Amino acid sequence: MIVNTAAYHFVEIADPDALAEAVRERAEALALKGSVLVAGEGINLFLAGQAPDIEAFYAWLRGDSRLQPLHVKYSHSEAMPFARLKVKRKAEIISFRRDDASPLAGERAPAVAPETLRRWLRQGHDDRGRRVVLLDTRNQQEVAHGTFAGALTLPITRFTELPGALAPHRPALADATVVSFCTGGIRCEKAALWMQADGMDNVLQLEGGILGYFEAVGGEGYDGHCFVFDERVALDPQLRPLHDPTPA
């Protein structure tokens, strides 16, 4: 059984090249595969391997005090979903190209826990009686596999297109509590920060994204699967892969 992990953490990394090389060496030594992006703003990881090796890697990574708060989301598959290990140094761990969306500039955007969002969806409004609008910050390819029922989806192919695509909808969102979401939390966190900086004070991010929601409460209120960027293609609300080829 392969353990698949997704994790990110926004924190200032003064030595991203050094961290990327250390991560590469440690992951290779443990025979892990997947992708890791390291930037001055933090780290983004999708790694898979045998359970003891995954455990050893994240124990080592959290030995860096900057990364101790890292929250890891887990799923399982019979086969390894990655062909190789890729560790890259990037300008951003998710490209958005908006200075006013930096999680390092101040406090992170306010978040809503999966359990709270499920309750809001059941009752049809948030705790102040405001209607809730779920904003999908992912691209069209991902949305095609599934999204929250009734979510606002945008005709984008890349994350950098979100501000322009959202513009026509903003007047209609003024009286709502807007909850941005994505696969694991990284895009919806940046999107929520940008929306706040751009004058929207009614925006929250879904803590842990779709995968965190599935892990915490299952698939209530969600239609379909969650697309993932590996050979599993997508996961259902029980975190089972849509495609899980027989191990070689």
Side-chain angles (χ1 to χ4, degrees):
M1 182 66 69
I2 299 296
V3 177
N4 303 284
T5 64
Y8 77 93
H9 185 53
F10 285 116
V11 66
E12 184 175 354
I13 303 292
D15 54 346
D17 290 314
L19 178 59
E21 186 57 32
V23 165
R24 182 192 308 278
E25 291 177 1
R26 188 64 173 172
E28 285 179 345
L30 293 166
L32 304 184
K33 295 181 180 180
S35 65
V36 181
L37 301 180
V38 183
E41 67 177 9
I43 189 168
N44 188 17
L45 309 100
F46 294 93
L47 289 174
Q50 297 296 327
D53 301 320
I54 286 288
E55 183 178 348
F57 175 83
Y58 283 107
W60 167 81
L61 192 62
R62 288 193 179 101
D64 185 324
S65 60
R66 299 170 297 184
L67 303 175
Q68 196 280 327
L70 191 78
H71 175 71
V72 183
K73 292 174 283 292
Y74 295 89
S75 59
H76 298 83
S77 59
E78 293 294 333
M80 169 61 73
F82 299 101
R84 59 190 182 277
L85 173 69
K86 297 185 290 184
V87 181
K88 296 183 178 180
R89 161 78 155 89
K90 292 283 190 176
E92 297 178 80
I93 56 174
I94 181 69
S95 182
F96 196 39
R97 302 172 192 159
R98 296 273 174 167
D99 292 338
D100 48 6
S102 172
L104 305 184
E107 294 184 2
R108 69 191 300 255
V112 58
E115 295 83 357
T116 301
L117 179 60
R118 180 179 61 178
R119 176 165 53 80
W120 290 356
L121 295 178
R122 286 176 176 176
Q123 65 194 27
H125 54 78
D126 70 7
D127 293 333
R128 297 181 295 166
R130 291 165 61 101
R131 68 187 181 98
V132 175
V133 174
L134 289 156
L135 171 63
D136 200 328
T137 64
R138 302 172 303 154
N139 66 45
Q140 291 175 295
Q141 177 190 8
E142 298 168 85
V143 170
H145 286 270
T147 188
F148 280 98
L152 171 58
T153 61
L154 302 173
I156 61 176
T157 58
R158 55 180 59 87
F159 186 43
T160 52
E161 297 169 355
L162 183 143
L166 180 62
H169 301 278
R170 289 180 59 162
L173 299 176
D175 66 341
T177 292
V178 179
V179 178
S180 66
F181 69 92
C182 61
T183 304
I186 186 170
R187 283 174 287 183
C188 55
E189 180 161 353
K190 277 200 169 184
L193 281 170
W194 168 75
M195 286 186 279
Q196 275 194 325
D198 205 48
M200 294 179 66
D201 60 0
N202 56 334
V203 179
L204 305 171
Q205 58 175 312
L206 174 58
E207 191 70 67
I210 300 166
L211 297 182
Y213 187 87
F214 285 176
E215 192 172 52
V217 302
E220 186 172 340
Y222 191 93
D223 291 336
H225 292 68
C226 178
F227 182 85
V228 290
F229 292 90
D230 58 58
E231 293 180 8
R232 294 171 296 167
V233 182
L235 303 181
D236 70 11
Q238 289 72 49
L239 298 172
R240 297 174 302 204
L242 180 64
H243 179 61
D244 193 355
T246 303

